[in-house]
Amino acid sequence: MWKDESLAGKRVLVTAGADGIGLEITRAFVEAGARVAVCDVSGAGLERVAAELPGVLAVRADVSSESDVAALFERVDATLGGLDVLVNNAGVAGPTGGVETLSLADWERTLAVNITGQFLCARAAVPRLRQGRAPAIVNLSSAAGHLGMPGRSVYSASKWAVVGFTKSLALELGPQGIRVNTVLPGAVDGPRIRAVIAAKAESLGKPVEDVTRSYTSQAALGRMVTMRDIANMVRFACSDQAASVHGQELVVDGLTQALS
Ligand SMILES: NC(=O)c1ccc[n+]([C@@H]2O[C@H](COP(=O)([O-])OP(=O)(O)OC[C@H]3O[C@@H](n4cnc5c(N)ncnc54)[C@H](O)[C@@H]3O)[C@@H](O)[C@H]2O)c1
């Protein structure tokens, strides 16, 4: 039987871990015996996590706020006594529409969460990871982080930024023994993608079914991926199984070569 115990007892922080992919990542680390903290902006989501996974530290924090992130890491220190793994998962879909229709506020908010949030959390995490056991960072990008995405320019720009940030951190931190990778999910089946599809259908004036079909057919596998697919890759990337995997774009998208 294939067994990996390298994550048992590891201290892990998952941002935006109260719902969606972050929650599935949190479950995967808990199953592996890790000690996990999550942050989120949703109080109701954090209550649900605390009820489902009572051992998980659930902290209200917006990753784009410097003071929230500082307070979050104080809670992590007090409860976990350090950090071995950071999963920079928080990211928002951002606005949908042609570039001339986007507001500066929406543009800036998307960048604030999707890339500045990763910077703030990595900056706080690195001194702690340096003291950690086989430390690792995984930053969530997207298939839109290596492809263009019409109507989602700020989201795509933010996710390309995640790839550049990851590659740079990998070069900086590799010599210190901290591994850094990015995971690029394709369209993940779930409520968020359905909201994105509905927004796209409205902006294009097309039926939701047509846009849904274009999302499923854009992958060579002919379907969306699952949250568990992403959680499995993130967990693998942080385990000793991936001890020499560093600075990589780990794409989990059923082979998607263009985004509609
Ligand atoms: N769902 C997809 O199809 C898909 C595809 C590619 C990449 N991704 C990426 O995966 C990551 C997770 O996506 P998801 O679909 O699970 O997201 P989601 O929209 O379902 O949100 C998950 C959680 O993020 C929290 N959140 C939002 N803003 C936050 C902030 N500023 N600080 C802290 N928490 C915040 C929400 O409250 C929610 O609980 C994101 O980085 C996203 O860009 C998702």
Side-chain angles (χ1 to χ4, degrees), residues 25 29 84-89 118 122 129 134-142 159 161-174 177-185 230 233-252:
I25 293 169
F29 277 105
D84 304 302
V85 170
L86 169 66
V87 181
N88 262 327
N89 165 71
Q118 294 202 357
L129 294 174
I137 299 175
V138 170
N139 297 324
L140 267 288
S141 177
S142 165
K159 293 301 186 178
V162 169
V163 175
F165 184 55
T166 301
K167 300 244 178 220
S168 302
L169 289 193
L171 291 166
E172 276 178 35
L173 301 173
I178 303 174
R179 291 189 304 106
V180 191
N181 290 288
T182 177
V183 170
L184 282 68
I230 308 308
M233 180 59 96
V234 171
R235 183 172 60 179
F236 165 75
C238 297
S239 75
D240 286 358
Q241 303 281 334
S244 302
V245 179
H246 182 54
Q248 297 304 306
E249 294 170 52
L250 304 172
V251 182
V252 185

Short mmCIF file of all heavy atoms in Angstrom, two decimals, residues 25 29 84-89 118 122 129 134-142 159 161-174 177-185 230 233-252:
data_model
loop_
_atom_site.label_atom_id
_atom_site.label_comp_id
_atom_site.label_asym_id
_atom_site.label_seq_id
_atom_site.Cartn_x
_atom_site.Cartn_y
_atom_site.Cartn_z
N ILE A 25 -8.54 21.58 0.39
CA ILE A 25 -7.10 21.48 0.72
C ILE A 25 -6.94 21.26 2.22
O ILE A 25 -6.14 20.43 2.67
CB ILE A 25 -6.35 22.76 0.26
CG1 ILE A 25 -6.33 22.87 -1.27
CG2 ILE A 25 -4.93 22.78 0.83
CD1 ILE A 25 -5.85 24.23 -1.80
N PHE A 29 -5.09 18.05 4.14
CA PHE A 29 -3.99 18.12 5.11
C PHE A 29 -4.39 17.50 6.44
O PHE A 29 -3.58 16.84 7.09
CB PHE A 29 -3.53 19.56 5.29
CG PHE A 29 -2.55 20.02 4.24
CD1 PHE A 29 -2.95 20.88 3.23
CD2 PHE A 29 -1.24 19.58 4.25
CE1 PHE A 29 -2.05 21.30 2.25
CE2 PHE A 29 -0.32 19.99 3.27
CZ PHE A 29 -0.74 20.85 2.26
N ASP A 84 5.30 25.23 8.89
CA ASP A 84 6.08 24.42 7.94
C ASP A 84 5.59 24.59 6.50
O ASP A 84 6.36 24.39 5.57
CB ASP A 84 5.99 22.93 8.33
CG ASP A 84 6.45 22.69 9.76
OD1 ASP A 84 7.61 23.03 10.07
OD2 ASP A 84 5.64 22.19 10.58
N VAL A 85 4.29 24.91 6.36
CA VAL A 85 3.69 24.97 5.02
C VAL A 85 2.75 26.18 4.93
O VAL A 85 1.91 26.38 5.80
CB VAL A 85 2.88 23.68 4.72
CG1 VAL A 85 2.06 23.84 3.43
CG2 VAL A 85 3.79 22.47 4.62
N LEU A 86 2.90 26.96 3.86
CA LEU A 86 1.94 28.02 3.55
C LEU A 86 1.27 27.69 2.23
O LEU A 86 1.96 27.47 1.22
CB LEU A 86 2.64 29.38 3.42
CG LEU A 86 1.78 30.51 2.83
CD1 LEU A 86 0.63 30.89 3.77
CD2 LEU A 86 2.63 31.74 2.50
N VAL A 87 -0.06 27.66 2.24
CA VAL A 87 -0.82 27.52 0.99
C VAL A 87 -1.54 28.84 0.73
O VAL A 87 -2.51 29.17 1.41
CB VAL A 87 -1.83 26.34 1.04
CG1 VAL A 87 -2.56 26.23 -0.30
CG2 VAL A 87 -1.13 25.04 1.38
N ASN A 88 -1.02 29.59 -0.22
CA ASN A 88 -1.60 30.88 -0.60
C ASN A 88 -2.74 30.59 -1.58
O ASN A 88 -2.56 30.60 -2.81
CB ASN A 88 -0.54 31.74 -1.30
CG ASN A 88 0.10 32.74 -0.37
OD1 ASN A 88 -0.53 33.27 0.55
ND2 ASN A 88 1.37 33.02 -0.63
N ASN A 89 -3.92 30.31 -1.02
CA ASN A 89 -5.05 29.89 -1.85
C ASN A 89 -6.02 31.02 -2.18
O ASN A 89 -6.69 30.98 -3.21
CB ASN A 89 -5.79 28.75 -1.12
CG ASN A 89 -7.16 28.49 -1.70
OD1 ASN A 89 -7.29 27.96 -2.81
ND2 ASN A 89 -8.21 28.88 -0.97
N GLN A 118 -0.88 37.29 -1.56
CA GLN A 118 0.15 36.24 -1.53
C GLN A 118 1.47 36.80 -1.04
O GLN A 118 2.20 36.15 -0.28
CB GLN A 118 0.31 35.61 -2.92
CG GLN A 118 -0.94 34.85 -3.35
CD GLN A 118 -0.67 33.81 -4.42
OE1 GLN A 118 0.44 33.65 -4.91
NE2 GLN A 118 -1.71 33.07 -4.80
N ALA A 122 3.35 35.49 2.27
CA ALA A 122 4.69 34.92 2.08
C ALA A 122 5.71 35.70 2.91
O ALA A 122 6.58 35.11 3.55
CB ALA A 122 5.07 34.92 0.60
N LEU A 129 9.02 29.82 8.22
CA LEU A 129 9.32 28.61 7.44
C LEU A 129 10.81 28.25 7.55
O LEU A 129 11.17 27.07 7.57
CB LEU A 129 8.95 28.81 5.97
CG LEU A 129 7.45 28.98 5.67
CD1 LEU A 129 7.23 29.32 4.20
CD2 LEU A 129 6.68 27.71 6.03
N ALA A 134 11.18 20.72 6.61
CA ALA A 134 10.97 20.54 5.16
C ALA A 134 9.93 21.55 4.63
O ALA A 134 8.90 21.17 4.09
CB ALA A 134 10.53 19.11 4.84
N PRO A 135 10.23 22.85 4.78
CA PRO A 135 9.20 23.86 4.51
C PRO A 135 8.85 24.01 3.03
O PRO A 135 9.68 23.78 2.15
CB PRO A 135 9.84 25.15 5.03
CG PRO A 135 11.30 24.89 5.04
CD PRO A 135 11.50 23.42 5.26
N ALA A 136 7.59 24.42 2.82
CA ALA A 136 7.11 24.57 1.44
C ALA A 136 6.03 25.64 1.36
O ALA A 136 5.28 25.85 2.32
CB ALA A 136 6.55 23.24 0.94
N ILE A 137 6.00 26.29 0.21
CA ILE A 137 4.92 27.24 -0.12
C ILE A 137 4.27 26.75 -1.40
O ILE A 137 4.98 26.36 -2.34
CB ILE A 137 5.47 28.66 -0.35
CG1 ILE A 137 6.17 29.21 0.90
CG2 ILE A 137 4.36 29.61 -0.80
CD1 ILE A 137 6.85 30.58 0.70
N VAL A 138 2.94 26.79 -1.44
CA VAL A 138 2.23 26.59 -2.71
C VAL A 138 1.33 27.80 -2.94
O VAL A 138 0.54 28.17 -2.06
CB VAL A 138 1.39 25.29 -2.71
CG1 VAL A 138 0.47 25.26 -3.94
CG2 VAL A 138 2.29 24.07 -2.74
N ASN A 139 1.49 28.42 -4.09
CA ASN A 139 0.66 29.56 -4.48
C ASN A 139 -0.35 29.10 -5.52
O ASN A 139 0.03 28.50 -6.53
CB ASN A 139 1.53 30.66 -5.09
CG ASN A 139 2.54 31.22 -4.08
OD1 ASN A 139 2.24 31.33 -2.89
ND2 ASN A 139 3.72 31.57 -4.56
N LEU A 140 -1.63 29.43 -5.30
CA LEU A 140 -2.65 29.06 -6.28
C LEU A 140 -2.67 30.08 -7.42
O LEU A 140 -2.96 31.26 -7.20
CB LEU A 140 -4.03 28.98 -5.62
CG LEU A 140 -4.47 27.60 -5.09
CD1 LEU A 140 -4.81 26.66 -6.23
CD2 LEU A 140 -3.44 26.96 -4.18
N SER A 141 -2.37 29.61 -8.61
CA SER A 141 -2.57 30.42 -9.82
C SER A 141 -3.81 29.87 -10.51
O SER A 141 -4.81 29.55 -9.85
CB SER A 141 -1.31 30.36 -10.70
OG SER A 141 -1.51 31.07 -11.89
N SER A 142 -3.74 29.67 -11.82
CA SER A 142 -4.90 29.25 -12.60
C SER A 142 -4.42 28.92 -14.01
O SER A 142 -3.34 29.40 -14.43
CB SER A 142 -5.90 30.41 -12.67
OG SER A 142 -6.88 30.19 -13.67
N LYS A 159 -3.09 36.22 -12.11
CA LYS A 159 -2.62 34.84 -12.00
C LYS A 159 -1.29 34.62 -12.73
O LYS A 159 -0.51 33.75 -12.35
CB LYS A 159 -3.70 33.88 -12.51
CG LYS A 159 -4.96 33.86 -11.60
CD LYS A 159 -4.60 33.45 -10.17
CE LYS A 159 -5.80 33.27 -9.28
NZ LYS A 159 -5.45 32.83 -7.91
N ALA A 161 0.88 36.99 -12.59
CA ALA A 161 1.74 37.57 -11.55
C ALA A 161 2.12 36.51 -10.52
O ALA A 161 3.25 36.47 -10.03
CB ALA A 161 1.04 38.76 -10.89
N VAL A 162 1.17 35.64 -10.20
CA VAL A 162 1.45 34.57 -9.22
C VAL A 162 2.58 33.67 -9.73
O VAL A 162 3.45 33.26 -8.96
CB VAL A 162 0.17 33.74 -8.94
CG1 VAL A 162 0.50 32.48 -8.15
CG2 VAL A 162 -0.87 34.59 -8.20
N VAL A 163 2.58 33.39 -11.03
CA VAL A 163 3.64 32.53 -11.59
C VAL A 163 5.00 33.22 -11.47
O VAL A 163 5.99 32.62 -11.03
CB VAL A 163 3.31 32.14 -13.05
CG1 VAL A 163 4.46 31.35 -13.67
CG2 VAL A 163 2.02 31.32 -13.10
N GLY A 164 5.06 34.51 -11.82
CA GLY A 164 6.32 35.24 -11.71
C GLY A 164 6.79 35.35 -10.27
O GLY A 164 7.99 35.22 -9.97
N PHE A 165 5.85 35.57 -9.37
CA PHE A 165 6.17 35.65 -7.93
C PHE A 165 6.73 34.31 -7.46
O PHE A 165 7.76 34.26 -6.76
CB PHE A 165 4.87 36.01 -7.19
CG PHE A 165 5.03 36.24 -5.71
CD1 PHE A 165 5.94 37.15 -5.21
CD2 PHE A 165 4.24 35.53 -4.79
CE1 PHE A 165 6.07 37.37 -3.84
CE2 PHE A 165 4.35 35.74 -3.43
CZ PHE A 165 5.28 36.66 -2.95
N THR A 166 6.09 33.23 -7.88
CA THR A 166 6.51 31.89 -7.45
C THR A 166 7.93 31.57 -7.95
O THR A 166 8.77 31.08 -7.19
CB THR A 166 5.54 30.83 -8.00
OG1 THR A 166 4.23 31.13 -7.52
CG2 THR A 166 5.94 29.43 -7.58
N LYS A 167 8.17 31.85 -9.23
CA LYS A 167 9.49 31.53 -9.80
C LYS A 167 10.57 32.35 -9.10
O LYS A 167 11.67 31.84 -8.83
CB LYS A 167 9.51 31.84 -11.30
CG LYS A 167 8.49 31.03 -12.08
CD LYS A 167 9.13 30.10 -13.07
CE LYS A 167 8.08 29.28 -13.80
NZ LYS A 167 8.48 27.90 -14.00
N SER A 168 10.27 33.62 -8.79
CA SER A 168 11.26 34.47 -8.13
C SER A 168 11.52 33.98 -6.71
O SER A 168 12.68 33.88 -6.28
CB SER A 168 10.78 35.92 -8.10
OG SER A 168 10.55 36.36 -9.42
N LEU A 169 10.45 33.64 -5.98
CA LEU A 169 10.63 33.12 -4.61
C LEU A 169 11.40 31.81 -4.64
O LEU A 169 12.22 31.54 -3.75
CB LEU A 169 9.28 32.89 -3.93
CG LEU A 169 8.47 34.11 -3.52
CD1 LEU A 169 7.34 33.70 -2.57
CD2 LEU A 169 9.33 35.17 -2.87
N ALA A 170 11.14 30.98 -5.65
CA ALA A 170 11.84 29.69 -5.72
C ALA A 170 13.35 29.92 -5.86
O ALA A 170 14.15 29.21 -5.23
CB ALA A 170 11.30 28.87 -6.89
N LEU A 171 13.73 30.92 -6.65
CA LEU A 171 15.16 31.22 -6.80
C LEU A 171 15.74 31.81 -5.52
O LEU A 171 16.85 31.47 -5.11
CB LEU A 171 15.37 32.18 -7.98
CG LEU A 171 15.09 31.55 -9.35
CD1 LEU A 171 14.98 32.62 -10.43
CD2 LEU A 171 16.16 30.52 -9.71
N GLU A 172 14.96 32.69 -4.86
CA GLU A 172 15.43 33.30 -3.61
C GLU A 172 15.54 32.30 -2.48
O GLU A 172 16.50 32.32 -1.70
CB GLU A 172 14.41 34.36 -3.15
CG GLU A 172 14.53 35.72 -3.77
CD GLU A 172 13.43 36.66 -3.25
OE1 GLU A 172 13.03 36.59 -2.07
OE2 GLU A 172 12.96 37.45 -4.06
N LEU A 173 14.53 31.45 -2.36
CA LEU A 173 14.39 30.64 -1.13
C LEU A 173 14.89 29.21 -1.28
O LEU A 173 15.11 28.54 -0.27
CB LEU A 173 12.91 30.62 -0.70
CG LEU A 173 12.32 32.00 -0.41
CD1 LEU A 173 10.81 31.91 -0.14
CD2 LEU A 173 13.02 32.66 0.78
N GLY A 174 15.07 28.76 -2.52
CA GLY A 174 15.59 27.40 -2.73
C GLY A 174 16.89 27.15 -1.98
O GLY A 174 17.02 26.13 -1.27
N GLY A 177 16.43 26.12 1.45
CA GLY A 177 15.70 24.87 1.71
C GLY A 177 14.20 25.02 1.75
O GLY A 177 13.48 24.11 2.17
N ILE A 178 13.69 26.17 1.31
CA ILE A 178 12.23 26.36 1.26
C ILE A 178 11.77 26.14 -0.18
O ILE A 178 12.18 26.87 -1.09
CB ILE A 178 11.83 27.78 1.73
CG1 ILE A 178 12.35 28.04 3.15
CG2 ILE A 178 10.31 27.96 1.65
CD1 ILE A 178 12.12 29.47 3.65
N ARG A 179 10.95 25.13 -0.38
CA ARG A 179 10.44 24.85 -1.74
C ARG A 179 9.21 25.72 -2.03
O ARG A 179 8.38 25.93 -1.14
CB ARG A 179 10.08 23.37 -1.89
CG ARG A 179 11.28 22.45 -1.87
CD ARG A 179 10.94 21.02 -2.24
NE ARG A 179 9.90 20.45 -1.40
CZ ARG A 179 8.65 20.24 -1.78
NH1 ARG A 179 8.24 20.55 -3.00
NH2 ARG A 179 7.78 19.71 -0.94
N VAL A 180 9.12 26.19 -3.26
CA VAL A 180 7.99 27.05 -3.66
C VAL A 180 7.49 26.59 -5.03
O VAL A 180 8.28 26.49 -5.98
CB VAL A 180 8.41 28.54 -3.76
CG1 VAL A 180 7.18 29.42 -3.89
CG2 VAL A 180 9.24 28.97 -2.57
N ASN A 181 6.21 26.30 -5.10
CA ASN A 181 5.60 25.89 -6.37
C ASN A 181 4.27 26.59 -6.53
O ASN A 181 3.71 27.13 -5.57
CB ASN A 181 5.37 24.37 -6.38
CG ASN A 181 6.68 23.60 -6.47
OD1 ASN A 181 7.34 23.59 -7.52
ND2 ASN A 181 7.08 22.97 -5.36
N THR A 182 3.76 26.57 -7.76
CA THR A 182 2.42 27.12 -8.00
C THR A 182 1.55 26.04 -8.65
O THR A 182 2.05 25.25 -9.45
CB THR A 182 2.48 28.40 -8.86
OG1 THR A 182 1.13 28.84 -9.13
CG2 THR A 182 3.19 28.21 -10.18
N VAL A 183 0.30 26.00 -8.25
CA VAL A 183 -0.65 25.05 -8.85
C VAL A 183 -1.61 25.85 -9.73
O VAL A 183 -2.13 26.90 -9.32
CB VAL A 183 -1.41 24.26 -7.75
CG1 VAL A 183 -2.57 23.47 -8.36
CG2 VAL A 183 -0.45 23.31 -7.03
N LEU A 184 -1.79 25.36 -10.96
CA LEU A 184 -2.65 26.04 -11.95
C LEU A 184 -3.87 25.17 -12.23
O LEU A 184 -3.82 24.28 -13.08
CB LEU A 184 -1.87 26.28 -13.25
CG LEU A 184 -0.86 27.45 -13.30
CD1 LEU A 184 0.34 27.19 -12.39
CD2 LEU A 184 -0.39 27.69 -14.71
N PRO A 185 -4.97 25.41 -11.51
CA PRO A 185 -6.18 24.63 -11.81
C PRO A 185 -6.85 25.12 -13.10
O PRO A 185 -6.86 26.31 -13.40
CB PRO A 185 -7.11 24.91 -10.62
CG PRO A 185 -6.27 25.64 -9.60
CD PRO A 185 -5.17 26.30 -10.36
N ILE A 230 -7.36 19.25 -7.12
CA ILE A 230 -6.45 20.36 -6.77
C ILE A 230 -5.84 20.12 -5.39
O ILE A 230 -4.63 20.29 -5.19
CB ILE A 230 -7.21 21.72 -6.78
CG1 ILE A 230 -7.96 21.91 -8.11
CG2 ILE A 230 -6.25 22.88 -6.52
CD1 ILE A 230 -7.15 21.73 -9.36
N MET A 233 -3.00 17.66 -5.53
CA MET A 233 -1.75 18.20 -6.08
C MET A 233 -1.05 19.11 -5.06
O MET A 233 0.17 19.06 -4.90
CB MET A 233 -2.02 18.96 -7.39
CG MET A 233 -0.77 19.55 -8.01
SD MET A 233 0.49 18.31 -8.39
CE MET A 233 0.11 18.03 -10.12
N VAL A 234 -1.83 19.94 -4.36
CA VAL A 234 -1.24 20.84 -3.36
C VAL A 234 -0.59 20.00 -2.26
O VAL A 234 0.55 20.27 -1.85
CB VAL A 234 -2.32 21.78 -2.78
CG1 VAL A 234 -1.77 22.56 -1.59
CG2 VAL A 234 -2.84 22.73 -3.86
N ARG A 235 -1.30 19.00 -1.80
CA ARG A 235 -0.77 18.16 -0.71
C ARG A 235 0.49 17.44 -1.16
O ARG A 235 1.48 17.39 -0.43
CB ARG A 235 -1.85 17.17 -0.26
CG ARG A 235 -1.44 16.31 0.92
CD ARG A 235 -2.58 15.50 1.44
NE ARG A 235 -3.14 14.59 0.44
CZ ARG A 235 -4.14 13.76 0.66
NH1 ARG A 235 -4.72 13.72 1.86
NH2 ARG A 235 -4.59 12.97 -0.29
N PHE A 236 0.46 16.89 -2.37
CA PHE A 236 1.65 16.23 -2.93
C PHE A 236 2.83 17.20 -2.97
O PHE A 236 3.95 16.86 -2.55
CB PHE A 236 1.33 15.70 -4.34
CG PHE A 236 2.55 15.33 -5.14
CD1 PHE A 236 3.25 14.16 -4.86
CD2 PHE A 236 3.02 16.16 -6.15
CE1 PHE A 236 4.39 13.83 -5.58
CE2 PHE A 236 4.15 15.83 -6.88
CZ PHE A 236 4.84 14.67 -6.59
N ALA A 237 2.58 18.41 -3.46
CA ALA A 237 3.67 19.39 -3.64
C ALA A 237 4.31 19.77 -2.32
O ALA A 237 5.46 20.20 -2.28
CB ALA A 237 3.13 20.63 -4.35
N CYS A 238 3.57 19.62 -1.22
CA CYS A 238 4.09 19.98 0.10
C CYS A 238 4.68 18.78 0.83
O CYS A 238 5.25 18.93 1.92
CB CYS A 238 2.98 20.60 0.97
SG CYS A 238 2.35 22.11 0.27
N SER A 239 4.56 17.60 0.26
CA SER A 239 5.01 16.38 0.94
C SER A 239 6.45 16.05 0.53
O SER A 239 6.98 16.60 -0.44
CB SER A 239 4.09 15.20 0.56
OG SER A 239 4.39 14.77 -0.75
N ASP A 240 7.05 15.10 1.23
CA ASP A 240 8.40 14.67 0.89
C ASP A 240 8.44 13.94 -0.45
O ASP A 240 9.50 13.77 -1.04
CB ASP A 240 8.97 13.74 1.99
CG ASP A 240 9.33 14.54 3.23
OD1 ASP A 240 9.19 15.78 3.23
OD2 ASP A 240 9.77 13.91 4.23
N GLN A 241 7.26 13.49 -0.93
CA GLN A 241 7.20 12.86 -2.26
C GLN A 241 7.68 13.83 -3.34
O GLN A 241 8.10 13.41 -4.41
CB GLN A 241 5.75 12.46 -2.61
CG GLN A 241 5.08 11.53 -1.62
CD GLN A 241 5.51 10.09 -1.78
OE1 GLN A 241 5.90 9.70 -2.86
NE2 GLN A 241 5.46 9.33 -0.71
N ALA A 242 7.53 15.12 -3.05
CA ALA A 242 7.88 16.16 -4.04
C ALA A 242 9.15 16.90 -3.62
O ALA A 242 9.34 18.07 -3.97
CB ALA A 242 6.71 17.13 -4.19
N ALA A 243 10.04 16.20 -2.89
CA ALA A 243 11.21 16.87 -2.29
C ALA A 243 12.09 17.60 -3.31
O ALA A 243 12.79 18.54 -2.94
CB ALA A 243 12.04 15.85 -1.51
N SER A 244 12.06 17.20 -4.57
CA SER A 244 12.89 17.87 -5.58
C SER A 244 12.04 18.66 -6.58
O SER A 244 12.55 19.09 -7.62
CB SER A 244 13.74 16.83 -6.33
OG SER A 244 14.55 16.14 -5.40
N VAL A 245 10.77 18.84 -6.28
CA VAL A 245 9.89 19.62 -7.16
C VAL A 245 9.89 21.06 -6.65
O VAL A 245 9.43 21.34 -5.54
CB VAL A 245 8.46 19.04 -7.15
CG1 VAL A 245 7.55 19.87 -8.05
CG2 VAL A 245 8.47 17.58 -7.59
N HIS A 246 10.40 21.96 -7.45
CA HIS A 246 10.66 23.33 -6.95
C HIS A 246 10.56 24.33 -8.09
O HIS A 246 11.12 24.11 -9.16
CB HIS A 246 12.07 23.34 -6.33
CG HIS A 246 12.45 24.66 -5.73
ND1 HIS A 246 11.69 25.31 -4.78
CD2 HIS A 246 13.54 25.45 -5.95
CE1 HIS A 246 12.29 26.44 -4.44
NE2 HIS A 246 13.40 26.55 -5.14
N GLY A 247 9.84 25.41 -7.84
CA GLY A 247 9.73 26.48 -8.84
C GLY A 247 8.87 26.10 -10.04
O GLY A 247 8.99 26.69 -11.10
N GLN A 248 7.98 25.13 -9.85
CA GLN A 248 7.24 24.57 -10.98
C GLN A 248 5.80 25.09 -11.09
O GLN A 248 5.17 25.38 -10.08
CB GLN A 248 7.19 23.04 -10.88
CG GLN A 248 8.57 22.40 -10.96
CD GLN A 248 9.31 22.79 -12.22
OE1 GLN A 248 8.81 22.62 -13.33
NE2 GLN A 248 10.52 23.33 -12.05
N GLU A 249 5.33 25.11 -12.32
CA GLU A 249 3.91 25.35 -12.60
C GLU A 249 3.24 23.98 -12.67
O GLU A 249 3.44 23.26 -13.65
CB GLU A 249 3.73 26.05 -13.95
CG GLU A 249 4.29 27.45 -14.00
CD GLU A 249 4.29 28.00 -15.42
OE1 GLU A 249 3.25 27.97 -16.09
OE2 GLU A 249 5.36 28.45 -15.86
N LEU A 250 2.51 23.61 -11.64
CA LEU A 250 1.88 22.28 -11.58
C LEU A 250 0.45 22.45 -12.10
O LEU A 250 -0.43 22.97 -11.41
CB LEU A 250 1.92 21.76 -10.14
CG LEU A 250 3.34 21.70 -9.54
CD1 LEU A 250 3.28 21.36 -8.04
CD2 LEU A 250 4.22 20.70 -10.28
N VAL A 251 0.26 22.05 -13.34
CA VAL A 251 -1.00 22.33 -14.04
C VAL A 251 -1.96 21.15 -13.86
O VAL A 251 -1.60 20.01 -14.11
CB VAL A 251 -0.74 22.56 -15.55
CG1 VAL A 251 -2.05 22.90 -16.26
CG2 VAL A 251 0.29 23.65 -15.75
N VAL A 252 -3.17 21.46 -13.36
CA VAL A 252 -4.19 20.41 -13.15
C VAL A 252 -5.44 20.88 -13.89
O VAL A 252 -6.33 21.51 -13.31
CB VAL A 252 -4.49 20.23 -11.64
CG1 VAL A 252 -5.47 19.07 -11.43
CG2 VAL A 252 -3.21 19.99 -10.85
#
